[in-house]
Amino acid sequence: MTSLMPIFERLAALIPGQWEKVIVTALLIGAALLASHLWARYLSRGAISAEKRRIHLVWARNIIWFAALLIIVSVWASTIAGFALSVAAVAGAILIVSKELVMCVLGYLYVTVVQPYKIGDVIEFKDLHGRVVDIDMFATTLVELDKAGQRTGKVAEFPNGLLLTHALVNSSPNGEYALHAIQIPIPERLSHDLDHIEAAALAAADRATAGWREEAIVHFQRASAENFIALPSGRTKVSWDFSNPEHLVLIVRVACPVDQRAKVEQEVFRHTWRALSPAPQV
């Protein structure tokens, strides 16, 4: 114990008259760690889904640490103010060096205030496409998805500062349901009967979305009223991409749960193709 006394005396010399603030800071950090751990254990015992559990965990953790940081800054406010006066000449250089760090914090404030996306949303950002699983003060974490909406098993991150300079696409801004466009290439041998193709695609889409079609329509009507935006009705529609006349593409737009887009796309394609293919001759 006596061997530790010189160390404490040196620390006391480095921080004269500030030990109360140091102790309060250490207690606040410990309390924040304990609160985050207890909240995570509480959520693990609940009967909520994993996605909602992660949403509650991320936001509670950010609120706890933001409150702790705010209290620590207020505790050290007088010391910081005095120190800031003595390093005013260096502040400009520090700001230039840490510009990316400051932009990340500003990007986090942008996400918090504007909420362009939240936990569970599927977004496209630069070359990334995935579901948001974590948002902290410096970066956003995605579970990567392929073009069919299936998980690739990879996790991607991007700094929040990039949100201030790059456009972002949110594929699930309206909550549980999203509009999904399915592209079906049509062979030239079948292009003589477009009405038959459209009827087959509509029948396949109605069959794939029968379990939630009416609920999705009500959902989009409610979202339009709440957001004061004229959103699509949510009804199944078909259209044609004839930019290349030699390769017609049928586009089937359906409303479906965000996490079932890949399944619906495969089912619509299979049933449409089966209806268009001639029956095998025995």
Side-chain angles (χ1 to χ4, degrees):
M1 186 70 179
T2 55
S3 61
L4 296 177
M5 292 303 296
I7 298 177
F8 286 115
E9 291 176 357
R10 282 183 197 172
L11 291 175
L14 291 173
I15 318 176
Q18 306 291 341
W19 278 106
E20 297 84 358
K21 297 180 180 180
V22 173
I23 293 173
V24 171
T25 301
L27 290 176
L28 284 171
I29 294 175
L33 289 171
L34 180 62
S36 299
H37 177 69
L38 292 177
W39 182 250
R41 292 192 60 182
Y42 170 75
L43 290 176
S44 65
R45 297 177 181 176
I48 60 177
S49 64
E51 182 174 339
K52 290 184 178 180
R53 187 181 298 121
R54 173 167 286 276
I55 293 174
H56 294 163
L57 176 62
V58 169
W59 283 107
R61 183 194 63 195
N62 290 340
I63 290 173
I64 290 171
W65 282 105
F66 182 78
L69 180 62
L70 190 63
I71 297 174
I72 290 173
V73 170
S74 63
V75 169
W76 289 90
S78 58
T79 305
I80 293 173
F83 181 74
L85 292 176
S86 62
V87 296
V90 189
I94 294 177
L95 182 60
I96 293 174
V97 172
S98 59
K99 183 180 70 172
E100 288 76 12
L101 184 63
V102 174
M103 288 186 64
C104 287
V105 176
L106 293 177
Y108 175 73
L109 293 177
Y110 168 73
V111 174
T112 304
V113 176
V114 181
Q115 290 189 338
Y117 58 84
K118 58 184 181 299
I119 301 296
D121 283 356
V122 176
I123 65 173
E124 297 178 19
F125 186 69
K126 299 189 71 176
D127 297 330
L128 301 176
H129 176 219
R131 184 181 299 277
V132 180
V133 295
D134 194 7
I135 306 170
D136 59 31
M137 191 170 292
F138 302 106
T140 296
T141 305
L142 308 176
V143 172
E144 190 178 54
L145 304 176
D146 59 17
K147 294 182 179 180
Q150 299 179 339
R151 297 185 179 183
T152 63
K154 301 178 182 178
V155 176
E157 291 187 358
F158 63 85
N160 292 333
L162 295 178
L163 294 170
L164 303 177
T165 56
H166 293 80
L168 177 142
V169 177
N170 190 338
S171 301
S172 51
N174 302 310
E176 182 181 358
Y177 292 97
L179 293 173
H180 184 48
I182 305 169
Q183 298 185 0
I184 304 176
I186 302 300
E188 186 178 358
R189 60 182 175 83
L190 299 176
S191 59
H192 63 280
D193 194 352
L194 301 185
D195 292 336
H196 175 59
I197 297 173
E198 292 182 2
L202 285 172
D206 289 342
R207 177 175 178 177
T209 61
W212 60 75
R213 185 167 59 250
E214 297 301 325
E215 183 178 348
I217 293 174
V218 174
H219 171 83
F220 279 99
Q221 291 175 347
R222 183 169 59 250
S224 297
E226 292 175 353
N227 299 320
F228 304 103
I229 299 175
L231 296 174
S233 64
R235 302 183 184 277
T236 302
K237 290 186 177 181
V238 296
S239 58
W240 290 94
D241 178 4
F242 47 86
S243 55
N244 185 352
E246 297 181 357
H247 297 88
L248 293 179
V249 177
L250 177 67
I251 302 175
V252 184
R253 194 197 70 187
V254 297
C256 63
V258 176
D259 57 349
Q260 295 192 35
R261 289 181 298 177
K263 178 182 177 182
V264 171
E265 180 173 328
Q266 294 295 319
E267 188 172 347
V268 170
F269 176 79
R270 289 172 63 88
H271 288 299
T272 302
W273 202 256
R274 187 178 294 119
L276 297 179
S277 300
Q281 297 180 356
V282 180

